[in-house]
Amino acid sequence: MRVNKKYSCLPAEEKGIHIINIRAIEDIGYDQHESTLLNSLSKNPDADCKYGLYFRDGKRKVDYILVYHYKKSSAGRTLTRRALHNDAGARSTKQDPLPGKGVQTEMGESEPHADCHEDDKRFRREEYEGNLVEAGLELEHDEDTKIHGVGFVKIHAPWNVLCREAEFLKLKMPTKKMYQINQTHGLLKKINSVIQKITEPIQPKVAEHKPQTVKRLSYPFSREKQHLFDLSDRDSFFDSKTRSTIVRKGEGRKKETALLNKRRKCGKYGITSLLANGVYSAAYPLHDLLCEEWASYGVFYKYQPIDLVRKYFGEKIGLYFAWLGVYTQMLIPASIVGIIVFLYGCATVDENIPSMEMCDQRNNITMCPLCDRTCSYWKMSSACATARASHLFDNPATVFFSVFMALWAATFMEHWKRKQMRLNYRWDLTGFEEEEAHPRAEYEAKVLEKSLRKEHKHKETDKEKLTWKDRFPAYLTNFVGIIFMVGLTFAIVFGVIIYRISTAAALAISATPSGRSSVRVTVTATAVIINLVVIIFLDEVYGCIARWLTQIEVPKTDKNFEERLIFKAFLLKFVNAYTPIFYVAFFKGRFVGRPGDYVYIFHSFRMEECAPGGCLMELCIQLSIIMLGKQLIQNNLFEIGIPKMKKFIRYMKLKRRLDYNLEPFSGLTPEYMEMIIQFGFVTLFVASFPLAPLFALLNNIIEIRLDAKKFVTELRRPVAVRAKDIGIWYNILRGIGKLAVIINAFVISFTSDFIPRLVYLYMYSENGTMHGFVNHTLSSFNVSDFQAGTAPNDPMELGYEVQICRYKDYREPPWSENKYDISKDFWAVLAARLAFVIVFQNLVMFMSDFVDWIIPDIPKDISQQIHKEKVLMVEVFMREEQGKLQMETWKDKDKKKGENCNNHSPRLSLSHSGSLSSCHSYPVDV
């Protein structure tokens, strides 16, 4: 089937012809190479609209599809089973065959009998579909296809059902009343005009994205007030996503006629249970949209047509893409400032006195060995490259950037709240309140099982519910499981630490003198790659385990299930992604001891130390590799490669056997999760990696189009869900923003040398400069104090005998009375570090709260428009009531005049024209 790209950006109902996503052909099981099946999915003038998005009559739209597998059995078997069940009283009325459903087998055929399980599935389908017909839905079957053993049920919701369900769902629909949207005036109008002209090339070329000057007043649909609504085109009054939502969910209904979610009288459950039990194999609405202005990498520089996305996929998915767009936009200023900070470090690296002193070979500073026996003494100047690289990220601009990013996070959250309110206004969600959710099928099954265990002691089983005692085994399993998995993450990180220590010692033995300077970088890079592979693997494992732990809890509603799943998955993935980074930032080099009294692991491995320039450079390497690796491999390669591979496999299978399945939509949790973890990389340790916002921006530009393409071409079209916010994800974002302030304060204080430099500059420097800072941070050690068996095997490797070696710490010299004890300089630096943490945290928190307070959550113009809508709605109903009252007054007057005419009937008979005219006259405007 060929699709005209000229129309591919518009919904099918807005074109003269009907075009659907080619993936939909596979979605309902039709082979592109079979002309008969192709006609059943594509509408064109030659096909006369017989199939595709319509029933066979070419008039009724397909709002939903049910797919099932079946095995043909003898008619006698089917009829016997149905008769037996009818005798049992399960079906009290005989129903006619549904449209399009033919006899499965002829009486004379000799086929093996289907087993009882398949026969039961067939009966349950027939009974369930009969209930749908009773609810007012119209069904049409397709079993005469080329796909052996696969049947399809097309579902159409007629006008009366749509109206009924829209009233129960309290859907806001456009009325006939239109009003002018308030426009800016004066200087703001000119500024907006200039901005629109500048941004015109990056605006999507769709009608929904153009600025609106008028808006229709919306009101919850009511069958009694249909005259208020714009019903000039009934076919497009309820769009495709609304129709599929009404058919699939019927949410808000508590009666027995709740469409696809209605319960059967025999105690079985709705479509969710039937899908779980294999009665149906799939249930989904059809794709009918392709969008070159959204699901295309060629338009990466353009804004998203969010209103069109919402119109097609619903508010919940629309809000996700809107949030992703706002987040990506806000990364632009953060990226620019991060680049400036990085360039500042590059420009000042040659003027940095501490790194110049470390690189100066004339200082002749001899450092203590990095490991026992096999490692020898080394010159500090050999770490020159590491010291210069550290300055790129460890400079005074880093502190400014940390403050900036904390305020950026607060501004981003406020900007999103305002954007969310604008979308709520445009999408008529300002008065939307979530209805009480229906219990999940699994929950009701557990309740039924509990009531059966009580041997029906209580007749009203609907009052039964699961208590904490019923869930205690699941809660205990969750607690133990989460603790075990967190412990597993710590154990893996610990294993990588052992790898680093042992590999560093091994390389120090085998490496040449010139290669020993790169041992630290080699060990760090390989260890980070190992961490990355483990993180990616455990992410997938933890996602599956989190879902299983949530399932055994048996949450009551889908919302409870989703929130519990998000909490577990986020906790496990957060620990998995950030534990290696936390180790390098706050633990590495803190518990090493000193020469002659080192701390050992298993009495064999000496705890690793930070480089002479500090651990910040290593933290930067760790953060950058993990962040970029996750984005490149897990977020993009997996999302592109795996769907393409499945697509190729489906294509290969089509050559041998037909396949109808697209990938089922599994929710937005994976999409949000990867962005939330990325948000943590951008904010939590941004002091060590100012380029993080830039790489996040580049990733998200691709991510938006990647997700769009996946939703349009690779996934089944999800059922539209109404939502007015992004839910629990907003609270998680706020929590990460608050945590980022604390973590960056500790990174600057304890991981970088920013505070020691300040202390030296203002307390110990003799000339007010940084000259002598490196020597000030190094302590001395007499090599004669080495423990037995720990001294270097080759003490003369440098060509001279070493008496005193240096190590990084604040301790008393060997010639002091309290040799190797903590010096007073250590306590001065520690006090300054703690003071900085307190001041930085409180100052930035105050500034963030000030930004939160000064920016209103609801834009002023939106607030005015909402108030205007309320006033206009009151006026509409006041006029309606006045009209009714006036009509009743006229009717009363007419009645009284009629009585007067009856009392003077003789006179009326003499004068027909005058008297009759006076008794039966009405106001002209009626």
Side-chain angles (χ1 to χ4, degrees):
M1 183 177 68
R2 297 184 179 180
V3 177
N4 189 346
K5 295 184 178 180
K6 176 181 177 182
Y7 298 105
S8 58
C9 292
L10 299 176
E13 54 263 30
E14 296 183 11
K15 310 168 192 172
I17 61 176
H18 286 263
I19 301 174
I20 69 169
N21 193 328
I22 294 179
R23 301 301 310 159
I25 296 176
E26 300 177 15
D27 199 2
I28 67 171
Y30 291 158
D31 186 4
Q32 300 178 33
H33 305 290
E34 299 288 344
S35 60
T36 304
L37 304 179
L38 180 60
N39 288 335
S40 66
L41 271 180
S42 61
K43 180 190 173 186
N44 53 63
D46 298 330
D48 196 22
C49 194
K50 281 186 69 175
Y51 298 94
L53 296 178
Y54 289 80
F55 277 26
R56 290 192 179 99
D57 58 13
K59 298 178 181 179
R60 292 173 293 173
K61 296 185 67 173
V62 177
D63 299 317
Y64 212 74
I65 290 287
L66 298 177
V67 185
Y68 59 91
H69 293 270
Y70 67 91
K71 294 181 179 179
K72 293 186 177 182
S73 61
S74 64
R77 169 90 178 184
T78 303
L79 293 175
T80 302
R81 175 153 181 100
R82 185 180 303 174
L84 289 174
H85 206 283
N86 286 341
D87 292 339
R91 291 179 65 93
S92 58
T93 59
K94 183 177 180 181
Q95 297 179 0
D96 296 330
L98 296 172
K101 177 151 184 162
V103 179
Q104 294 179 358
T105 59
E106 296 182 4
M107 295 294 294
E109 285 186 305
S110 58
E111 287 193 359
H113 293 290
D115 58 22
C116 181
H117 182 62
E118 292 296 329
D119 208 14
D120 181 67
K121 285 184 180 181
R122 184 182 305 106
F123 170 74
R124 291 172 68 182
R125 282 197 299 270
E126 291 175 357
E127 185 172 5
Y128 179 71
E129 291 164 11
N131 290 336
L132 298 184
V133 174
E134 291 178 5
L137 296 175
E138 298 176 2
L139 276 59
E140 183 177 86
H141 282 72
D142 273 335
E143 287 186 357
D144 53 344
T145 65
K146 296 293 183 180
I147 309 176
H148 177 70
V150 178
F152 305 95
V153 182
K154 300 177 182 179
I155 303 177
H156 168 76
W159 175 257
N160 62 327
V161 174
L162 294 172
C163 293
R164 183 187 69 206
E165 294 301 319
E167 183 174 352
F168 279 107
L169 292 173
K170 299 179 181 178
L171 295 179
K172 277 192 171 183
M173 305 302 294
T175 65
K176 298 176 181 178
K177 177 66 176 179
M178 302 181 67
Y179 67 95
Q180 193 79 17
I181 298 178
N182 294 338
Q183 302 294 324
T184 55
H185 301 283
L187 181 60
L188 288 177
K189 183 177 181 180
K190 294 181 180 178
I191 294 175
N192 289 338
S193 177
V194 172
I195 293 175
Q196 289 178 4
K197 290 181 180 179
I198 294 175
T199 59
E200 185 176 359
I202 60 176
Q203 300 293 342
K205 298 178 181 180
V206 294
E208 287 81 357
H209 201 77
K210 295 179 179 179
Q212 295 181 343
T213 57
V214 294
K215 187 177 183 292
R216 287 190 179 273
L217 192 64
S218 297
Y219 184 73
F221 187 82
S222 173
R223 287 172 290 180
E224 296 180 355
K225 295 182 171 60
Q226 289 193 32
H227 58 279
L228 296 178
F229 299 93
D230 183 17
L231 302 179
S232 56
D233 186 2
R234 289 192 173 189
D235 292 336
S236 62
F237 184 74
F238 295 106
D239 56 24
S240 61
K241 63 101 178 173
T242 304
R243 299 174 70 98
S244 62
T245 301
I246 287 176
V247 173
R248 173 63 173 87
K249 304 202 78 171
E251 58 187 26
R253 299 297 309 276
K254 296 182 180 180
K255 296 184 177 182
E256 286 295 320
T257 58
L259 300 185
L260 287 187
N261 279 332
K262 95 175 231 180
R263 299 186 187 181
R264 295 172 56 196
K265 296 179 181 179
C266 57
K268 302 296 182 183
Y269 303 101
I271 188 62
T272 304
S273 177
L274 296 177
L275 287 170
N277 293 329
V279 178
Y280 291 100
S281 57
Y284 48 86
L286 289 178
H287 279 291
D288 61 352
L289 171 70
L290 290 172
C291 187
E292 286 187 343
E293 290 295 321
W294 183 53
S296 172
Y297 297 112
V299 293
F300 70 92
Y301 59 93
K302 290 188 177 184
Y303 286 98
Q304 300 181 83
I306 293 298
D307 292 329
L308 190 62
V309 175
R310 172 254 177 179
K311 183 178 180 181
Y312 185 67
F313 289 110
E315 288 77 8
K316 191 171 184 177
I317 294 178
L319 283 173
Y320 163 71
F321 282 102
W323 173 84
L324 183 57
V326 171
Y327 172 47
T328 304
Q329 286 178 328
M330 290 294 294
L331 284 172
I332 295 176
S335 302
I336 294 174
V337 177
I339 293 173
I340 294 174
V341 170
F342 177 75
L343 293 179
Y344 170 82
C346 295
T348 58
V349 66
D350 292 330
E351 302 173 2
N352 183 41
I353 296 176
S355 61
M356 292 171 60
E357 289 183 346
M358 291 183 63
C359 296
D360 191 355
Q361 297 183 0
R362 295 174 297 178
N363 289 333
N364 196 29
I365 299 177
T366 303
M367 302 298 293
C368 294
L370 296 176
C371 62
D372 295 340
R373 295 186 301 274
T374 56
C375 298
S376 186
Y377 307 104
W378 56 286
K379 291 292 187 69
M380 174 172 277
S381 59
S382 64
C384 175
T386 304
R388 289 173 62 86
S390 297
H391 178 73
L392 301 179
F393 307 99
D394 188 4
N395 55 70
T398 303
V399 181
F400 159 76
F401 190 57
S402 299
V403 176
F404 170 81
M405 287 303 295
L407 298 179
W408 172 88
T411 305
F412 162 61
M413 299 305 296
E414 294 303 311
H415 178 47
W416 166 245
K417 282 196 294 187
R418 292 169 63 85
K419 176 68 173 181
Q420 191 171 255
M421 285 304 303
R422 290 188 180 277
L423 293 177
N424 286 343
Y425 166 71
R426 275 161 47 187
W427 297 349
D428 298 320
L429 295 172
T430 50
F432 171 71
E433 295 183 1
E434 292 187 2
E435 300 289 337
E436 182 180 356
H438 291 291
R440 300 171 62 244
E442 294 81 356
Y443 177 85
E444 293 192 331
K446 280 288 184 181
V447 172
L448 181 60
E449 182 182 346
K450 179 181 177 181
S451 63
L452 293 176
R453 284 200 305 265
K454 293 183 178 181
E455 297 179 350
H456 303 282
K457 291 182 179 180
H458 303 284
K459 295 182 179 180
E460 298 179 359
T461 57
D462 289 339
K463 293 184 179 180
E464 290 287 348
K465 63 179 181 179
L466 298 183
T467 63
W468 69 270
K469 293 182 180 180
D470 300 319
R471 290 194 174 103
F472 179 76
Y475 290 155
L476 182 61
T477 305
N478 272 259
F479 178 77
V480 174
I482 291 175
I483 294 297
F484 172 77
M485 286 180 285
V486 171
L488 176 64
T489 303
F490 290 163
I492 292 175
V493 173
F494 181 75
V496 175
I497 294 172
I498 299 298
Y499 161 80
R500 294 160 64 106
I501 296 172
S502 58
T503 305
L507 291 177
I509 297 174
S510 59
T512 61
S514 59
R516 290 175 186 171
S517 59
S518 61
V519 168
R520 189 182 299 273
V521 175
T522 303
V523 171
T524 299
T526 55
V528 172
I529 293 174
I530 293 174
N531 277 326
L532 174 62
V533 174
V534 171
I535 287 172
I536 292 175
F537 174 74
L538 289 183
D539 258 0
E540 303 301 321
V541 174
Y542 286 169
C544 298
I545 294 177
R547 179 170 292 275
W548 175 74
L549 291 175
T550 307
Q551 288 173 346
I552 64 176
E553 284 186 17
V554 195
K556 184 175 182 179
T557 63
D558 287 332
K559 183 179 180 181
N560 292 339
F561 182 91
E562 185 180 25
E563 290 179 349
R564 295 187 184 193
L565 173 62
I566 290 171
F567 173 76
K568 294 180 183 66
F570 174 74
L571 176 62
L572 295 175
K573 294 189 176 185
F574 182 90
V575 173
N576 182 42
Y578 295 111
T579 298
I581 301 174
F582 270 92
Y583 164 73
V584 175
F586 303 121
F587 295 99
K588 184 180 179 181
R590 308 294 174 191
F591 312 102
V592 297
R594 61 170 180 82
D597 189 21
Y598 283 115
V599 177
Y600 292 89
I601 302 176
F602 304 135
H603 304 286
S604 302
F605 301 103
R606 204 175 89 185
M607 290 293 292
E608 55 182 345
E609 305 175 41
C610 290
C615 280
L616 195 68
M617 183 61 197
E618 187 172 342
L619 177 62
C620 174
I621 296 174
Q622 184 101 4
L623 182 66
S624 59
I625 293 179
I626 291 179
M627 177 182 176
L628 297 179
K630 275 181 63 67
Q631 291 185 165
L632 178 63
I633 299 175
Q634 189 176 28
N635 296 353
N636 290 336
L637 187 60
F638 281 9
E639 290 191 24
I640 296 175
I642 292 179
K644 293 296 182 184
M645 186 182 301
K646 291 181 178 179
K647 185 177 181 180
F648 176 75
I649 293 174
R650 284 196 298 266
Y651 172 75
M652 296 300 294
K653 286 183 177 180
L654 283 174
K655 292 182 178 180
R656 299 176 178 88
R657 68 177 189 271
L658 298 176
D659 185 10
Y660 67 90
N661 241 352
L662 282 173
E663 285 297 303
F665 175 68
S666 58
L668 290 171
T669 298
E671 315 300 333
Y672 273 113
M673 188 66 70
E674 66 179 84
M675 290 294 105
I676 296 297
I677 297 296
Q678 183 202 87
F679 182 78
F681 283 123
V682 170
T683 56
L684 292 180
F685 296 94
V686 73
S688 63
F689 190 39
L691 296 179
L694 174 62
F695 290 109
L697 173 63
L698 297 177
N699 174 80
N700 289 4
I701 291 175
I702 301 174
E703 181 72 22
I704 292 177
R705 308 302 165 179
L706 176 66
D707 284 348
K709 203 171 187 64
K710 181 173 65 176
F711 271 78
V712 170
T713 63
E714 301 296 337
L715 299 178
R716 292 179 190 164
R717 182 180 178 182
V719 177
V721 178
R722 290 186 298 168
K724 63 186 303 183
D725 53 44
I726 60 175
I728 193 176
W729 297 110
Y730 180 82
N731 297 328
I732 294 177
L733 286 169
R734 288 191 66 89
I736 292 177
K738 299 293 184 183
L739 182 62
V741 177
I742 301 174
I743 290 180
N744 281 299
F746 277 94
V747 168
I748 295 172
S749 295
F750 290 89
T751 308
S752 73
D753 283 337
F754 177 75
I755 298 302
R757 286 197 295 263
L758 285 182
V759 172
Y760 176 80
L761 184 64
Y762 292 105
M763 292 184 61
Y764 300 104
S765 178
E766 297 178 356
N767 53 10
T769 66
M770 292 302 296
H771 288 286
F773 169 73
V774 175
N775 185 65
H776 177 75
T777 60
L778 298 177
S779 298
S780 301
F781 178 74
N782 193 327
V783 298
S784 62
D785 294 331
F786 272 122
Q787 290 180 353
T790 61
N793 295 332
D794 185 11
M796 298 296 293
E797 184 174 329
L798 294 178
Y800 57 88
E801 185 179 359
V802 177
Q803 300 292 334
I804 300 293
C805 65
R806 309 295 297 275
Y807 62 99
K808 189 172 183 178
D809 204 348
Y810 291 100
R811 291 182 180 270
E812 297 292 342
W815 52 83
S816 173
E817 295 181 0
N818 302 316
K819 65 177 184 179
Y820 307 135
D821 285 349
I822 299 296
S823 66
K824 63 178 182 180
D825 297 342
F826 172 84
W827 300 110
V829 172
L830 179 61
R833 281 172 165 167
L834 294 176
F836 177 83
V837 169
I838 295 173
V839 173
F840 182 90
Q841 175 184 341
N842 286 278
L843 177 62
V844 175
M845 287 286 191
F846 170 78
M847 296 172 68
S848 299
D849 291 341
F850 180 75
V851 170
D852 189 0
W853 173 76
I854 200 173
I855 300 177
D857 294 344
I858 305 177
K860 186 177 180 180
D861 59 324
I862 297 299
S863 179
Q864 292 174 348
Q865 294 297 127
I866 293 174
H867 177 72
K868 184 176 181 179
E869 277 195 353
K870 293 179 179 179
V871 173
L872 289 175
M873 186 57 65
V874 171
E875 291 180 358
V876 168
F877 282 103
M878 287 293 293
R879 291 176 182 174
E880 185 180 9
E881 293 299 325
Q882 289 176 358
K884 290 181 179 179
L885 183 61
Q886 191 175 8
M887 183 65 69
E888 291 177 358
T889 303
W890 292 333
K891 288 182 178 179
D892 291 340
K893 291 182 178 179
D894 179 57
K895 184 177 180 180
K896 291 180 179 179
K897 290 181 178 180
E899 292 176 354
N900 293 335
C901 291
N902 291 334
N903 293 334
H904 300 83
S905 56
R907 183 167 56 87
L908 288 173
S909 61
L910 295 174
S911 177
H912 297 285
S913 60
S915 300
L916 285 174
S917 175
S918 62
C919 288
H920 298 281
S921 61
Y922 291 92
V924 176
D925 57 351
V926 176

